[in-house]
Amino acid sequence: MLSKELLTIDKKEKALLWEIFLYEKMLDDNEAMLLHELSCYEERIRSIGNTKTPIEIGLLTIYMKHIKNIRTLLLDLQNTRHETLTKQIEDLSIDPPIESE
């Protein structure tokens, strides 16, 4: 049997695979955006240094809350990715080709 025959899938399976790839791309984009935001807030906190004024303390508190929220979103995103992709892969059942005699 040719390897090309082994890799042949029907339109439904192609659509499911494409959906998985698009979902992965969307999650990757969102994760990259959140990581960038996290990096920006961490850099801002480092730039403040020693907090002396009430404004600096307030700003630092706000930045720390943003960091906490972003980290929570990243964890949720990773958990959702795992659960959804596991289900999508389970739904994608590629039947083995029937060998002709």
Side-chain angles (χ1 to χ4, degrees):
M1 176 175 282
L2 296 173
S3 61
K4 184 177 180 180
E5 292 173 358
L6 288 173
L7 297 176
T8 303
I9 57 176
D10 64 20
K11 289 181 181 183
K12 179 183 175 186
E13 291 167 334
K14 284 181 186 178
L16 287 171
L17 276 175
W18 187 245
E19 185 178 321
I20 290 171
F21 292 139
L22 289 176
Y23 186 75
E24 271 288 308
K25 172 76 170 103
M26 180 192 68
L27 292 175
D28 288 343
D29 291 345
N30 287 333
E31 187 174 14
M33 180 188 66
L34 288 170
L35 287 171
H36 176 72
E37 289 293 315
L38 183 63
S39 176
C40 288
Y41 282 116
E42 288 172 342
E43 183 61 34
R44 289 177 184 172
I45 286 174
R46 283 191 289 276
S47 71
I48 291 175
N50 294 331
T51 55
K52 297 176 185 169
T53 67
I55 292 174
E56 289 175 330
I57 293 170
L59 194 57
L60 186 61
T61 302
I62 291 169
Y63 288 165
M64 290 173 74
K65 285 181 183 178
H66 285 307
I67 286 175
K68 181 181 175 186
N69 290 337
I70 291 170
R71 286 184 178 156
T72 300
L73 286 171
L74 282 168
L75 285 173
D76 289 347
L77 181 72
Q78 291 170 353
N79 289 335
T80 300
R81 172 188 298 232
H82 175 72
E83 292 168 6
T84 303
L85 289 176
T86 300
K87 183 178 180 335
Q88 285 177 324
I89 289 170
E90 289 170 358
D91 290 346
L92 181 67
S93 60
I94 301 175
D95 297 325
I98 300 170
E99 293 186 31
S100 57
E101 295 180 21

